């Protein structure tokens, strides 16, 4: 853990998506202190007909919008989460150059006993 | 927020999938009172080999089955959720014409501090 | 429910993915006692550029790695979860022959009132 699912519009080069992976991993290292090699992430690419967004909350989003859903332990503080959001937007702004309006993050909390990261064991229970 | 992920079998026309987006947005407006432009949704299309379902709970589902997973604030009442389920099934029944047996919805709750809908901020914390 | 989303690298034959569905269903029958026909699962296949993992926690994972995210009622005991993790790894080890290092499972808990498995009803509220 964390387990991260990313959704974005199809059509970006591999380097764009690698930069998103890299930025998220570094943000989780910096803000959550996750261990080295603790990056478990997938990207799903969507055609226009399968991707819908609006400008709610006064934010002018674009087709570069990225949905980032991060499932983590339920032990993180509000401060850690704030730092994570900040760091993600900053790093993805540097590379691949996402506008801050286009970074949408949601955290799902899941207790330690809910994870098996290999070998059929509940490593953190 | 809400953030909605939809999974269905591949092969439906764009208009079918747009109707699902439109119906879900309207259902969330009506039952949850979400703001205008508050629709953040993706659709993933699956081949037969990547989509599995059964008839549990005495419901005769078909290949038109749609899995709808909605992550929302953890502040919604049971009554709001019931109204949402009802409204989704009714609206998707009208257009694209889904059978009520084929509407499968799950809600995941996520605290207000778990959302950053742009700019690296925790807008609702 | 449960609702299961599986993510893996693209390129495996249908039979490989069917074995994953079959093993997960049997594991949920054995460890959680889910009803017959209670298997609601999707698989998303990812190219290398859209799939990222590491060797955190001293586990040497490979490109066969499978992320399994299971959303279930919040009524399951720690013992049931442990049994589920064990059973999944054992059964997927038998068929399609996954190495135990390559089975990554996360459980998300969702209250009974959060499910509508058809007909617009909250069947378990």
């Amino acid at each position: 853990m964390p387990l991260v699912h990313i959704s974005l519009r199809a059509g970006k080069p591999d380097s764009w998506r690698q930069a998103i992976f890299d930025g998220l991993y570094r943000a989780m290292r910096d803000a959550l202190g996750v261990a080295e090699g603790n990056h478990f992430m997938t990207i799903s690419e969507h055609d226009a007909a399968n991707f819908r967004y609006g400008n709610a909350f006064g934010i002018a989003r674009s087709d570069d919008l990225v949905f980032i859903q991060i499932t983590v332990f339920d032990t993180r503080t509000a401060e850690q989460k704030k730092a994570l959001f900040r760091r993600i937007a900053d790093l993805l702004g540097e590379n691949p150059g996402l506008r801050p309006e286009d970074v949408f993050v949601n955290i799902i909390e899941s207790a330690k006993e809910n994870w098996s990261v290999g070998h059929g064991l509940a490593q953190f229970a």
Side-chain angles (χ1 to χ4, degrees), chain A:
Chain A
M1 70 102 240
L3 182 59
V4 181
H5 293 302
I6 301 150
S7 300
L8 42 71
R9 284 284 301 277
K12 295 292 185 187
D14 279 10
S15 59
W16 180 276
R17 287 171 278 126
Q18 297 318 295
I20 291 175
F21 276 154
D22 291 344
L24 283 169
Y25 177 39
R26 196 169 139 204
M28 293 192 294
R29 295 272 283 161
D30 293 348
L32 303 183
V34 304
E36 196 174 337
N38 187 350
H39 47 143
F40 301 98
M41 304 193 259
T42 64
I43 291 175
S44 296
E45 300 183 78
H46 298 269
D47 295 332
N50 289 342
F51 193 85
R52 175 73 67 101
Y53 64 90
N55 288 336
F57 313 112
I59 296 176
R61 299 173 183 87
S62 80
D63 283 353
D64 284 348
L65 179 63
V66 177
F67 296 127
I68 300 165
Q69 199 156 31
I70 303 175
T71 309
V72 289
F73 287 164
D74 58 355
T75 56
R76 302 301 186 173
T77 66
E79 284 315 304
Q80 284 182 306
K81 294 171 190 174
K82 271 190 202 175
L84 179 65
F85 296 145
R86 178 78 273 143
R87 198 81 183 111
I88 289 172
D90 287 349
L91 289 170
L92 300 188
E94 287 174 19
N95 189 10
L98 279 178
R99 300 162 59 246
E101 290 89 342
D102 288 326
V103 181
F104 187 116
V105 186
N106 166 242
I107 291 173
I108 295 173
E109 297 179 279
S110 181
K112 290 195 172 189
E113 69 185 33
N114 290 344
W115 297 84
S116 176
V117 301
H119 293 302
L121 300 171
Q123 280 88 353
F124 315 104

